[in-house]
């Protein structure tokens, strides 16, 4: 298990010899100490990336594509190892971790195909005096900052298109889950990524590290996934140097069930949308709007399904709900539930932290939740589902949109016209219609409003890591 910094193709200790501890959220036990990058290390990584990027950009698109395809293959060859490492440091159930590795690898396959399809254009100016050539060169050095909930996928969703476009990167994985990132760096070097093109620098001092990274003259872009509050701070910092940014931020997803919906399908979709990675995802359903005619049936069936979700350490057989990332997360969720009950909500399932080692909270369903209840105002990031009854569709949509977040929404109805109409009226970058999952490397992932800027995935994703250059030619 690598625990050092990966800079310029070499493993090295922190310039200050400092380290930080990584813990298993299922037990609270120490896994290992990891080198903590300093400001000097951030500068060294950006410098190494700058040198390597100029050579990597000159590599033929087909050659880059073949190397990225090998990254896809090597992730699958090490799928079980990577999945178990993800479980160990993040706590997610093994089945979720195996799914994450496959999803994460797919970004390399997709972008290996996109690497040879970065298109420009040529045309004649209206005056007829010159030709207009438009091309899309790489940005340069990209700083990538990722969250703990998807230790592999949140890296590859940014890394693969960045590399395909011809950039070099400096990655700061989260302090909670740095081990997967370090192992991926090792594997990608084996796959043929040249030294310095990928640099991985975990740190316990994120603010100091980020200041140094964005101040480096070679840094031209920041790609970040995390909370909206942190994203706002990073945006302000990036503005000082007018850096290009892509930000995938928080969510407050509505999950809407109409009277005509297939309730069993809606319940299955709700479990998927709520409970993926123990409900610790930005795409998790956060507010359940259920039409009055089916609210009793949906609540009864959903509560029964939530009570049946097996809870435990991620490596235990059959577990579908692992621990939250740390005790502070449990404290937050517990406080939200208690405040909702005081405001009039009724606990239909769960509602309590578990008295056992690790940071566990029961899958929970709350009924009789008001439109303006405090629990509907923020991202829960835990296994709690507040159900809000509605009768008027227009009023419900107004409340669904009454948030600064706009990442994703879920709609269940048998009426396609109704489903599409509501989907178009929801202020969210992605809509899942009659399904509980939506992420796909072939689709543009991203949000509206304070849920982010830019898109990841699809053909859109690679152009985020490109500039647009126009050349006027007279001949």
């Amino acid at each position: 298990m690598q625990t050092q910094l990966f800079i310029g193709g070499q493993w090295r200790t922190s310039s200050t010899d400092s380290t930080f501890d990584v813990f298993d959220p299922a037990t609270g036990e120490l896994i290992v100490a990891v080198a903590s990058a300093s400001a000097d290390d951030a500068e060294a990584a950006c410098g190494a990336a700058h040198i390597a990027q100029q050579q990597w950009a000159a590599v033929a698109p087909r050659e880059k594509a073949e190397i990225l395809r090998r990254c896809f293959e090597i992730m699958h060859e090490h799928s079980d190892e990577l999945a178990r490492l993800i479980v160990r440091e993040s706590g997610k159930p093994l089945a979720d971790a195996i799914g994450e590795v496959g999803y994460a690898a797919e970004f390399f396959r997709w972008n290996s195909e996109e690497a040879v399809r970065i298109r420009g254009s040529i045309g004649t100016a209206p005056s007829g005096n010159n030709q207009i050539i438009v091309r899309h060169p790489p940005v340069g050095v990209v700083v990538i900052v990722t969250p703990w909930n998807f230790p592999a996928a949140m890296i590859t969703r940014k890394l693969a298109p960045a590399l395909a476009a011809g950039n070099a990167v400096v990655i700061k994985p989260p302090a909670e889950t740095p081990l997967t990132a370090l192992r991926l760096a090792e594997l990608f070097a084996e796959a043929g990524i040249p030294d310095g093109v990928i640099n991985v620098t975990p740190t316990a001092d994120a603010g100091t590290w980020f200041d140094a990274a964005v101040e480096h003259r070679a840094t031209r872009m920041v790609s970040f996934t995390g909370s909206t509050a942190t994203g706002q701070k990073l945006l302000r910092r990036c503005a000082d140097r007018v850096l290009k940014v892509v930000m995938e931020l928080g969510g407050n997803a509505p999950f809407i069930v109409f009277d005509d919906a297939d309730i069993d399908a809606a319940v299955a979709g709700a479990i998927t949308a709520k409970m993926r990675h123990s409900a610790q995802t930005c795409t998790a359903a956060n507010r359940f709007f259920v039409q009055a005619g089916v609210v009793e049936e949906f609540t009864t069936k959903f509560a029964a399904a939530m009570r049946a979700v097996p809870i435990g350490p991620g490596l235990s057989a059959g577990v579908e709900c692992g621990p939250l990332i740390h005790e502070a997360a449990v404290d937050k969720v517990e406080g939200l539930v208690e405040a909702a009950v005081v405001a009039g909500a009724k606990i239909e399932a769960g509602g309590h932290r578990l008295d056992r080692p690790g940071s566990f909270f029961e899958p929970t369903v709350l009924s009789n939740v008001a439109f303006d209840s405090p629990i509907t105002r923020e991202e829960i990031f835990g296994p709690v589902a507040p159900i809000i009854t509605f009768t008027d569709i227009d009023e419900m949509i107004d409340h669904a949109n009454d948030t600064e977040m706009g990442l994703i929404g879920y709609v269940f109805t048998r009426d396609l016209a109704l489903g599409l109409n509501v989907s178009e009226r929801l202020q969210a970058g992605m809509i899942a219609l009659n399904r509980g999952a939506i992420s796909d490397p072939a689709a543009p992932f991203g949000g509206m409003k304070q849920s982010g800027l830019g898109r990841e995935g699809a053909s859109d994703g690679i152009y985020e890591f490109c500039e647009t250059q126009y050349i006027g030619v007279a001949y």
Side-chain angles (χ1 to χ4, degrees), residues 163-417:
L163 298 184
N167 303 287
V169 305
V170 178
I171 301 169
K172 189 203 79 63
E176 295 88 348
T177 59
L179 303 177
T180 302
L182 294 170
R183 181 59 177 141
L184 287 174
E186 191 173 25
L187 291 175
F188 296 153
E190 292 179 21
I193 299 293
D195 291 349
V197 172
I198 296 176
N199 304 273
V200 181
T201 55
T203 184
D205 188 0
T208 299
W209 180 95
F210 189 80
D211 284 345
V214 299
E215 280 300 321
H216 197 283
R217 290 186 63 185
T219 299
R220 294 311 321 157
M221 178 176 175
V222 171
S223 182
F224 169 75
T225 295
S227 72
T228 296
T230 301
Q232 290 168 330
K233 294 176 183 177
L234 301 191
L235 272 170
R236 295 186 191 103
R237 192 67 185 84
C238 291
D240 291 339
R241 292 202 56 233
V242 196
L243 297 181
K244 190 172 187 179
V245 295
V246 170
M247 300 232 162
E248 192 268 285
L249 306 177
N252 190 1
F255 188 102
I256 302 166
V257 182
F258 286 97
D259 282 345
D260 71 336
D262 180 331
I263 299 303
D264 291 335
V267 168
I271 290 290
T272 299
K274 180 76 246 185
M275 293 305 296
R276 186 182 182 198
H277 184 23
S278 311
Q280 297 174 104
T281 73
C282 56
T283 57
N286 215 54
R287 298 168 294 154
F288 290 76
F289 296 95
V290 184
Q291 203 161 16
V294 294
V295 69
E296 184 175 349
E297 180 185 0
F298 177 85
T299 301
T300 299
K301 290 182 174 180
F302 186 32
M306 289 283 271
R307 284 192 294 268
V309 172
I311 308 170
L315 291 175
S316 297
V319 164
E320 297 175 13
C321 180
L324 302 190
I325 190 62
H326 42 52
E327 284 298 314
V330 179
D331 292 341
K332 174 192 172 183
V333 171
E334 184 178 51
L336 287 172
V337 171
E338 290 175 351
V341 171
V342 169
K346 177 185 176 184
I347 295 176
E348 301 285 351
H352 304 93
R353 68 199 306 154
L354 297 183
D355 184 15
R356 59 181 295 174
S359 46
F360 291 89
F361 197 90
E362 294 176 303
T364 299
V365 176
L366 303 175
S367 64
N368 196 40
V369 177
F371 280 120
D372 58 354
S373 174
I375 201 170
T376 70
R377 308 308 299 175
E378 62 179 288
E379 191 171 23
I380 298 170
F381 235 66
V384 178
I387 296 176
I388 305 156
T389 305
F390 76 90
T391 53
D392 184 272
I393 294 177
D394 292 334
E395 180 187 30
M396 178 273 294
I397 292 175
D398 286 344
H399 283 291
N401 289 334
D402 185 21
T403 170
E404 288 298 322
M405 304 302 133
L407 184 60
I408 186 171
Y410 301 86
V411 179
F412 277 78
T413 174
R414 287 188 174 97
D415 185 337
L416 181 60

Side-chain angles (χ1 to χ4, degrees), residues 28 127 136 202 237 247 293 385 452 454-455:
S127 66
H136 298 285
R237 192 67 185 84
M247 300 232 162
R455 290 297 182 269

Side-chain angles (χ1 to χ4, degrees), residues 11-268:
W11 296 101
R12 60 172 78 175
T13 59
S14 166
S15 64
T16 60
D17 290 324
S18 58
T19 63
F20 63 92
D21 293 334
V22 180
F23 296 93
D24 183 340
T27 63
E29 295 175 353
L30 173 67
I31 300 175
V32 72
V34 172
S36 181
S38 66
D40 288 344
D41 296 320
E43 292 175 2
C46 291
H50 177 57
I51 294 170
Q53 190 273 327
Q54 298 172 70
Q55 297 174 334
W56 177 246
V59 173
R62 177 63 68 195
E63 186 177 347
K64 285 200 285 281
E66 294 299 327
I67 294 173
L68 265 62
R69 177 72 185 205
R70 179 60 187 143
C71 290
F72 162 77
E73 293 167 350
I74 204 168
M75 286 191 70
H76 277 285
E77 291 165 7
H78 293 266
S79 177
D80 186 66
E81 171 202 347
L82 289 169
R84 290 180 178 276
L85 185 56
I86 288 170
V87 174
R88 190 81 190 282
E89 62 178 347
S90 76
K92 69 172 56 180
L94 181 59
D96 278 354
I98 292 171
E100 179 185 345
V101 174
Y103 174 60
E106 197 64 33
F107 284 101
F108 277 100
R109 177 158 65 172
W110 174 265
N111 284 285
S112 72
E113 297 162 348
E114 291 295 298
V116 298
R117 296 185 177 91
I118 299 176
R119 303 189 185 280
S121 64
I122 183 169
T124 302
S127 66
N129 294 329
N130 63 277
Q131 300 298 113
I132 296 172
I133 297 174
V134 178
R135 60 188 293 269
H136 298 285
V139 171
V141 173
V142 180
V143 170
I144 292 175
V145 181
T146 58
W148 50 261
N149 55 345
F150 288 90
M154 294 303 97
I155 290 175
T156 62
R157 196 162 73 185
K158 304 170 185 299
L159 175 62
L163 298 184
N167 303 287
V169 305
V170 178
I171 301 169
K172 189 203 79 63
E176 295 88 348
T177 59
L179 303 177
T180 302
L182 294 170
R183 181 59 177 141
L184 287 174
E186 191 173 25
L187 291 175
F188 296 153
E190 292 179 21
I193 299 293
D195 291 349
V197 172
I198 296 176
N199 304 273
V200 181
T201 55
T203 184
D205 188 0
T208 299
W209 180 95
F210 189 80
D211 284 345
V214 299
E215 280 300 321
H216 197 283
R217 290 186 63 185
T219 299
R220 294 311 321 157
M221 178 176 175
V222 171
S223 182
F224 169 75
T225 295
S227 72
T228 296
T230 301
Q232 290 168 330
K233 294 176 183 177
L234 301 191
L235 272 170
R236 295 186 191 103
R237 192 67 185 84
C238 291
D240 291 339
R241 292 202 56 233
V242 196
L243 297 181
K244 190 172 187 179
V245 295
V246 170
M247 300 232 162
E248 192 268 285
L249 306 177
N252 190 1
F255 188 102
I256 302 166
V257 182
F258 286 97
D259 282 345
D260 71 336
D262 180 331
I263 299 303
D264 291 335
V267 168

